[in-house]
Amino acid sequence: MARFTLPRDLYHGKGSLEVLKTLKGSRAVICVGGGSMKKFGFLDKAIGYLKEAGMEVEVIDGIEPDPSVTTVMKGAEAMSKFQPDWIVAMGGGSPIDAAKAMWIKYEYPETTFEDMCKVFGLPKLRTKAHFCAIPSTSGTATEVTAFSVITDYEKGIKYPLADFEITPDIAIVDPDLAETMPKKLVAHTGMDAMTHAVEAYVSTANCDFTDPLALHAIMMIQNDLVDSYNGDMEKRASMHNAQCLAGMSFSNALLGIVHSMAHKTGAIFEDFGAHIIHGAANAMYLPKVIAYNAKNETAAKRYAVIADYMKLGGETVEEKVANLIAFLRGMNDALNIPQCIKNYGADSYPCEQGFVPEEVFLERLPEIAKNAIADACTGSNPRIPTQEEMEKLLKCCYYDTEVDF
């Protein structure tokens, strides 16, 4: 038996933020990030709509990119004092992910972060509050997923929380919010969405319900992402829908080792002055992982289906896989994303020598590989790498060398 779970209601289209005025409750907390929702007036609109619904409103703001365990615990404490019956999270993936983890701690104060990390092991939520997610970026799709990613900065590791309990009750996918994204964010979140759809389609947990969502999302991203990056707001609105479809797929089909590797490399080099931004990491690693997974016959055939759907040409499965890899690398070039860690600058743009020194990468490689294999996303990958294979694959992602194993 398998399960397919999405939010109870999904509202989409321009102006759909107004749905907040129809929510029933007495107190709502709004979780937001670094200020863009305030700057562009969306936070004030949300507060106004919730007050129109008769609710008292409190704001938890300043949630950082790659939210920390500390932020989660502080937010949950604030919720415990305020006792909201609605948690409304708006902005990029970070405030929504953080709010999901706060929700767990708010409903079950005795829960530790280690408890939250037990895959599909959470108790029943909604004993105190319901959850509404409103994305402003077009990539993570956390507004429709059973996942949250929280960073333990002491260990330098991102941990995915996974349980259908944290799937939001309501998702509001309003393209007005996505128009505020800076260009670099469009690129990174868009390639995150592409990775979600591709990994979901070849995941060992794929099914008839997830495949159409993944394939249609891939086609939309192929058609719309670069134009959205270059300022086409109609394509920006389309990408907001595409990333949500990709999220619906991967939340139920799960992901693979592109995400395992991105989770474990994102914050591990923080002491050298920067993170490898999640969407950029996915963009760099996806072509390498496709080459690795394509050694599995079933996965190779499914990559070939993707290539056919994208009309990339090729006569044999091998040619189609090669064309898919070449197309994705071309997208990285068009979006100004590096092809490998060695050329990943501290500003995320391509450069001759990136911020991660070779000797540091090699020194930390065994631990990164071990942690990536243990990541929650590895279990549904078409091939389960050994320690040696994961180290070799990560080296290919550092040097941009061919995957031949």
Side-chain angles (χ1 to χ4, degrees), residues 188-364:
H188 294 161
T189 56
M191 288 308 292
D192 192 19
M194 178 64 95
T195 305
H196 290 157
V198 172
E199 287 211 290
Y201 191 73
V202 300
S203 160
T204 57
N206 76 77
C207 69
D208 290 340
F209 296 93
T210 60
D211 284 353
L213 294 165
L215 287 173
H216 193 63
I218 288 167
M219 182 192 72
M220 292 177 72
I221 297 165
Q222 175 190 17
N223 292 336
D224 299 333
L225 175 54
V226 174
D227 287 340
S228 171
Y229 174 75
N230 289 322
D232 184 327
M233 289 303 160
E234 283 189 19
K235 296 296 183 77
R236 185 76 54 89
S238 181
M239 273 300 303
H240 212 42
N241 290 343
Q243 64 86 30
C244 188
L245 294 172
M248 293 178 185
S249 183
F250 92 77
S251 184
N252 293 279
L254 307 179
L255 292 166
I257 58 172
V258 178
H259 273 76
S260 302
M261 294 155 65
H263 291 152
K264 298 332 183 203
T265 52
I268 196 67
F269 305 109
E270 188 194 14
D271 52 331
F272 283 82
H275 281 198
I276 301 177
I277 297 169
H278 180 71
N282 284 339
M284 293 189 296
Y285 306 163
L286 179 58
K288 303 302 183 191
V289 169
I290 290 174
Y292 173 77
N293 283 342
K295 304 298 189 292
N296 173 286
E297 184 180 355
T298 300
K301 287 178 179 177
R302 290 186 75 80
Y303 288 130
V305 171
I306 292 173
D308 285 342
Y309 205 74
M310 297 171 73
K311 297 181 170 57
L312 299 180
E315 295 297 322
T316 65
V317 168
E318 291 76 14
E319 288 175 357
K320 292 174 183 181
V321 172
N323 289 346
L324 176 59
I325 290 171
F327 178 86
L328 293 169
R329 288 176 64 88
M331 282 194 85
N332 287 349
D333 289 338
L335 298 168
N336 209 16
I337 295 173
Q339 299 291 356
C340 63
I341 299 171
K342 183 184 177 197
N343 300 132
Y344 183 94
D347 58 3
S348 85
Y349 293 125
C351 64
E352 190 66 30
Q353 178 55 58
F355 82 94
V356 182
E358 180 180 20
E359 64 274 13
V360 173
F361 173 79
L362 294 173
E363 179 188 338
R364 299 181 186 181

Side-chain angles (χ1 to χ4, degrees), residues 17-332:
L17 187 64
E18 283 194 43
V19 168
L20 290 175
K21 65 173 70 170
T22 69
L23 301 189
K24 306 297 182 189
S26 58
R27 284 179 300 280
V29 65
I30 303 178
C31 300
V32 293
S36 65
M37 292 299 93
K38 186 182 294 185
K39 175 183 175 183
F40 293 105
F42 292 111
L43 177 58
D44 286 341
K45 280 186 179 180
I47 292 170
Y49 291 147
L50 290 166
K51 286 184 175 178
E52 199 173 328
M55 292 196 219
E56 185 182 347
V57 182
E58 191 167 281
V59 176
I60 297 173
D61 59 8
I63 296 170
E64 74 275 34
D66 303 306
S68 66
V69 178
T70 302
T71 294
V72 168
M73 298 307 168
K74 284 181 180 175
E77 187 178 347
M79 289 181 187
S80 292
K81 291 175 182 173
F82 184 60
Q83 290 290 302
D85 41 29
W86 274 101
I87 298 168
V88 177
M90 65 187 304
S94 294
I96 299 174
D97 279 3
K100 285 180 176 181
M102 292 173 193
W103 185 23
I104 301 166
K105 184 72 174 176
Y106 167 52
E107 298 228 357
Y108 294 94
E110 72 283 359
T111 301
T112 65
F113 182 65
E114 288 70 26
D115 293 332
M116 295 182 195
C117 292
K118 293 171 185 171
V119 177
F120 294 98
L122 293 179
K124 290 286 182 186
L125 297 181
R126 298 162 182 82
T127 62
K128 294 181 181 178
H130 285 80
F131 195 100
C132 174
I134 309 164
S136 66
T137 60
S138 302
T140 69
T142 188
E143 73 275 6
V144 292
T145 75
F147 299 98
S148 164
V149 179
I150 305 298
T151 302
D152 184 333
Y153 284 94
E154 288 185 12
K155 296 179 180 177
I157 294 176
K158 294 183 178 183
Y159 289 94
L161 315 185
D163 198 291
F164 288 118
E165 285 299 313
I166 58 172
T167 305
D169 298 287
I170 293 175
I172 299 175
V173 184
D174 188 333
D176 286 343
L177 280 69
E179 290 184 4
T180 67
M181 283 192 292
K183 202 168 182 179
K184 183 162 69 173
L185 193 57
V186 173
H188 294 161
T189 56
M191 288 308 292
D192 192 19
M194 178 64 95
T195 305
H196 290 157
V198 172
E199 287 211 290
Y201 191 73
V202 300
S203 160
T204 57
N206 76 77
C207 69
D208 290 340
F209 296 93
T210 60
D211 284 353
L213 294 165
L215 287 173
H216 193 63
I218 288 167
M219 182 192 72
M220 292 177 72
I221 297 165
Q222 175 190 17
N223 292 336
D224 299 333
L225 175 54
V226 174
D227 287 340
S228 171
Y229 174 75
N230 289 322
D232 184 327
M233 289 303 160
E234 283 189 19
K235 296 296 183 77
R236 185 76 54 89
S238 181
M239 273 300 303
H240 212 42
N241 290 343
Q243 64 86 30
C244 188
L245 294 172
M248 293 178 185
S249 183
F250 92 77
S251 184
N252 293 279
L254 307 179
L255 292 166
I257 58 172
V258 178
H259 273 76
S260 302
M261 294 155 65
H263 291 152
K264 298 332 183 203
T265 52
I268 196 67
F269 305 109
E270 188 194 14
D271 52 331
F272 283 82
H275 281 198
I276 301 177
I277 297 169
H278 180 71
N282 284 339
M284 293 189 296
Y285 306 163
L286 179 58
K288 303 302 183 191
V289 169
I290 290 174
Y292 173 77
N293 283 342
K295 304 298 189 292
N296 173 286
E297 184 180 355
T298 300
K301 287 178 179 177
R302 290 186 75 80
Y303 288 130
V305 171
I306 292 173
D308 285 342
Y309 205 74
M310 297 171 73
K311 297 181 170 57
L312 299 180
E315 295 297 322
T316 65
V317 168
E318 291 76 14
E319 288 175 357
K320 292 174 183 181
V321 172
N323 289 346
L324 176 59
I325 290 171
F327 178 86
L328 293 169
R329 288 176 64 88
M331 282 194 85
N332 287 349

